[in-house]
């Protein structure tokens, strides 16, 4: 049953495509079928509209010559050629010939063309034109019922004729509604496909931004530490060789840590690997790793004073990662711009559904410039914005530079 349905569906699609390419073929086929099934029998009976009907029924109608019958049949059938392109005009022409024929008292099998035209109007025409077409058809049916009254009861004839008219209209409307539903489904499927592609591109762009931000934090911080340690080691080589050796060891440790973090970040961009060949993964850093971060900065020659307030260890992992990266970027800026003897005060305070991060150094004032609006500060602001927070940076009141970030920890304040 499945293959048969699939073949029928494919055949239907091919027919619809062929009809769209050559619509005149189907219209001509409809005219040919109506002529062969309903016009030719009247012609073969030599003008007797119903040769097989009872005698009293045949005598009730006018017997037309062949030429007159051909003219009326052509008037009924030929307008069906434009029943889809001009349904109103086709119906009007068929209805006019139909009324003329019955006014002459003739009965033709080709009268079925009126129902075909009405069906086409319900399917292809404007719905506001359908009521008057139905009224016209009903009036024509009353004329037919009166004409056949010597042989058939008027009410029986009206019931049959109006039932046929209703069936033609209902069939046209049903096909019209079905086509509209299919068109709506196709449009919705196309729209969903476009939305899916847009979501995919947006997710890709978001992931690229996240990876770029992570790499900036990792590379920027660790390179700043390495450069500072290298400078300090080069100065200590002549005066204190053991300090120079210590600086080299710290450079190696920092480089290996940076390499491990880069492998972890870049590993998510590759296809999943097996446990033996895949990159070594580690949890994302949180507030518990800030002590190690401060130790690295102290090894680079900065005095860092770190304190916390509130239940910071119970914070969401996403909040902790955001806070860690903000602190990391602020300390990196301190290594870059503060003096060698600068002291850094780092405070993380959790209170009233708010997390405040404050990093202040005692180095020289740094007037805001284009470098302050680089990737570092922009990245901090982007991270804080995920939790409805803000980041401000500027000269501290007692000298030095201060960075303060405030994150909103309420459920409606950010992504949880």
């Amino acid at each position: 049953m499945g293959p048969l349905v699939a073949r029928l569906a494919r055949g239907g699609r091919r027919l619809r495509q062929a009809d769209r390419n050559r619509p005149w073929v189907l219209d001509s086929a409809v005219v040919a079928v109506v002529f062969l099934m309903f016009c030719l029998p009247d012609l073969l009976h030599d003008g007797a509209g119903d040769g097989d009907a009872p005698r009293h029924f045949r005598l009730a109608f006018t017997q037309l010559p062949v030429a007159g019958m051909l003219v009326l049949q052509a008037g009924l059938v030929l307008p069906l050629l434009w029943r889809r392109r001009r349904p109103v005009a086709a119906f009007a022409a068929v209805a006019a010939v139909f009324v003329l024929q019955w006014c002459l008292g003739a009965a033709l099998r080709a009268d079925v063309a009126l129902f075909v035209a009405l069906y086409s109007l319900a399917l292809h025409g404007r719905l506001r034109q359908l009521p008057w077409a139905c009224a016209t058809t009903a009036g024509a049916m009353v004329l037919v019922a009166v004409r056949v009254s010597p042989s058939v009861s008027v009410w029986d004839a009206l019931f049959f004729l109006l039932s046929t008219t209703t069936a033609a209209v209902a069939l046209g409307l049903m096909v019209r509604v079905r086509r509209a539903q299919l068109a709506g489904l196709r449009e919705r499927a196309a729209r969903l496909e476009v939305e899916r592609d847009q979501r995919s591109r947006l997710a890709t762009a978001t992931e690229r931004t996240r990876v770029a931000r992570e790499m900036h934090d990792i590379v920027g911080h660790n390179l700043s530490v390495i450069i500072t340690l290298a400078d300090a080691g080069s100065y200590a080589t002549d005066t204190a060789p053991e300090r120079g050796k210590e600086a080299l060891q710290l450079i190696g440790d920092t480089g290996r840590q940076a390499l491990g973090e880069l492998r972890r970040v870049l590993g998510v961009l590759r296809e999943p690997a097996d446990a033996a060949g895949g990159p070594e993964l580690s949890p994302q850093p949180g507030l518990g790793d800030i002590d190690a971060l401060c130790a690295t900065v102290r090894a680079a020659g900065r005095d860092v004073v770190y304190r916390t307030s509130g239940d910071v260890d119970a914070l969401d992992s996403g909040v902790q990662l955001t806070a860690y990266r903000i602190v990391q970027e602020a300390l990196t800026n301190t290594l870059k711009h503060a003096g060698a003897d600068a002291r850094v005060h780092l405070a993380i305070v959790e209170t009233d559904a708010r997390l405040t991060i404050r990093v202040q150094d005692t180095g020289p004032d740094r007037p805001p410039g284009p470098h302050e609006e680089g990737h570092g500060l922009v990245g901090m602001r982007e991270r804080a914005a995920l939790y409805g927070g803000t980041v401000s940076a500027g000269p501290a009141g007692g000298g030095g530079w201060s960075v303060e970030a405030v994150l909103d920890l309420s459920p409606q304040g950010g992504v949880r």
Side-chain angles (χ1 to χ4, degrees):
M1 191 64 180
L4 177 60
V5 173
R7 285 195 294 269
L8 291 176
R10 287 194 295 269
R13 285 194 295 269
R14 291 196 203 94
L15 288 177
R16 286 192 295 271
Q17 183 62 37
D19 183 47
R20 282 193 291 268
N21 296 334
R22 297 179 179 85
W24 58 269
V25 174
L26 180 60
D27 295 333
S28 301
V30 170
V31 171
V33 169
V34 172
F35 176 79
L36 293 175
M37 293 184 63
F38 301 100
C39 297
L40 196 59
D42 284 339
L43 296 175
L44 294 178
H45 283 92
D46 193 22
D50 287 283
D52 297 332
R55 177 179 176 82
H56 70 278
F57 186 82
R58 288 186 283 114
L59 292 176
F61 301 104
T62 303
Q63 295 186 4
L64 299 173
V66 175
M69 187 183 300
L70 284 174
V71 171
L72 290 175
Q73 288 178 343
L76 289 170
V77 175
L78 290 181
L80 298 182
L81 287 172
W82 63 85
R83 66 186 182 85
R84 293 191 294 179
R85 289 168 293 172
R86 298 288 187 272
V88 177
F91 174 81
V94 173
V97 176
F98 182 90
V99 172
L100 174 63
Q101 168 211 323
W102 282 97
C103 287
L104 295 176
L108 297 175
R109 291 183 175 89
D111 290 339
V112 72
L114 180 65
F115 300 110
V116 176
L118 184 61
Y119 161 82
S120 301
L121 178 59
L123 177 58
H124 302 289
R126 297 179 180 177
L127 293 179
R128 65 183 182 183
Q129 297 168 339
L130 188 59
W132 71 260
C134 293
T136 302
T137 305
M141 295 302 104
V142 171
L143 174 62
V144 174
V146 172
R147 282 292 184 178
V148 300
S149 59
S151 302
V152 182
S153 168
V154 173
W155 298 111
D156 292 342
L158 277 178
F159 176 79
F160 173 77
L161 294 172
L162 293 180
S163 298
T164 306
T165 301
T166 304
V169 175
L171 182 61
L173 291 177
M174 182 187 69
V175 176
R176 183 185 189 122
V177 170
R178 179 60 178 169
R179 289 184 179 180
Q181 289 176 342
L182 292 177
L185 290 176
R186 285 192 292 268
E187 181 182 356
R188 183 171 182 269
R191 187 171 63 253
L192 290 176
E193 185 176 356
V194 171
E195 292 177 356
R196 182 198 63 192
D197 294 339
Q198 290 177 345
R199 285 195 299 268
S200 177
R201 288 193 294 267
L202 181 60
T204 300
T206 302
E207 182 63 15
R208 287 178 178 175
T209 303
R210 187 190 69 80
V211 172
R213 191 164 52 221
E214 291 285 330
M215 291 184 64
H216 172 269
D217 293 338
I218 294 169
V219 175
H221 171 74
N222 288 287
L223 281 181
S224 297
V225 173
I226 289 173
I227 292 171
T228 304
L229 289 173
D231 291 340
S234 65
Y235 288 123
T237 300
D238 297 332
T239 59
E242 67 281 358
R243 296 295 301 274
K245 181 179 179 180
E246 181 183 356
L248 291 175
Q249 291 176 345
L250 289 173
I251 289 174
D253 294 338
T254 304
R256 281 187 290 272
Q257 179 185 356
L259 182 60
E261 292 188 12
L262 284 177
R263 284 177 176 172
R264 173 182 57 77
V265 172
L266 297 179
V268 301
L269 301 180
R270 304 191 184 126
E271 294 182 358
D274 54 15
E280 182 180 356
L281 302 179
S282 60
Q284 291 277 39
L287 294 180
D289 299 298
I290 291 184
D291 287 323
L293 183 64
C294 293
T296 305
V297 176
R298 292 189 188 101
R302 302 297 186 272
D303 184 14
V304 181
V305 179
Y306 172 44
R307 70 178 183 86
T308 62
S309 176
D311 191 8
V312 295
D313 294 332
L315 294 176
D316 181 78
S317 58
V319 177
Q320 293 199 32
L321 175 61
T322 298
Y324 179 89
R325 292 305 186 195
I326 291 175
V327 171
Q328 185 182 49
E329 182 60 35
L331 293 179
T332 300
N333 289 337
T334 300
L335 288 174
K336 290 179 181 179
H337 305 294
D341 298 330
R343 170 174 289 188
V344 182
H345 294 274
L346 169 60
I348 300 179
V349 180
E350 186 271 329
T351 179
D352 295 334
R354 294 168 67 90
L355 183 67
T356 303
I357 305 166
R358 185 177 297 105
V359 181
Q360 181 177 346
D361 62 61
T362 59
D365 292 343
R366 303 189 295 275
H371 63 280
E372 294 298 339
E373 291 295 333
H375 294 290
L377 187 56
V378 172
M380 286 191 285
R381 286 175 175 164
E382 289 178 351
R383 290 183 181 277
L386 293 176
Y387 291 90
T390 58
V391 175
S392 58
W401 193 260
S402 175
V403 174
E404 182 173 338
V406 180
L407 305 184
D408 186 1
L409 304 181
S410 58
Q412 71 274 11
V415 181
R416 295 292 182 266

